[in-house]
Amino acid sequence: MANSVNDLKNQADSMNPEHKEGPVAATIEHYTAKLPSDLFLWAALGSMAISATLKIMKKDEEALFVGQWPAPFLLLGLYNKLVKLEGHDKTDRGPRGGR
């Protein structure tokens, strides 16, 4: 059992030894880094306002649906900020990592 655990760990370590992002993640990070971070904050605040308006209008199901949007917007904003601060693989070589 311990042998198989070590084998799995060694396989996982050898899969991506440079710890680099794949081409899809690198492309997404390249383009999302261009978006202003406050875009996501305004989207979250806007969806809260829309949800409150829908609730006042007695459209409870729609209000609940839209009311779930702020958290994903804020998480996307956090992802956006991390990409800007850290960059994908801490390089600025374009969407394909300079390839």
Side-chain angles (χ1 to χ4, degrees):
M1 174 97 174
N3 231 4
S4 63
V5 171
N6 285 335
D7 289 342
L8 286 173
K9 183 184 178 309
N10 289 336
Q11 284 178 344
D13 288 342
S14 66
M15 284 227 172
N16 190 2
E18 296 175 5
H19 303 285
K20 291 199 173 216
E21 294 290 351
V24 174
T27 302
I28 291 170
E29 290 175 2
H30 175 74
Y31 289 106
T32 57
K34 295 178 182 180
L35 297 172
S37 296
D38 59 346
L39 171 80
F40 299 99
L41 178 61
W42 287 112
L45 291 172
S47 61
M48 285 186 254
I50 291 168
S51 177
T53 302
L54 289 167
K55 186 71 172 170
I56 291 168
M57 296 169 58
K58 306 283 190 217
K59 296 185 177 190
D60 292 340
E61 289 183 12
E62 291 88 346
L64 286 173
F65 176 68
V66 176
Q68 294 179 28
W69 296 357
F73 283 136
L74 293 173
L75 285 171
L76 287 169
L78 181 61
Y79 176 79
N80 178 277
K81 183 61 90 174
L82 285 171
V83 167
K84 285 181 177 180
L85 293 175
E86 297 297 324
H88 68 278
D89 299 329
K90 294 188 179 184
T91 61
D92 189 26
R93 296 181 293 180
R96 305 248 185 236
R99 290 180 212 154

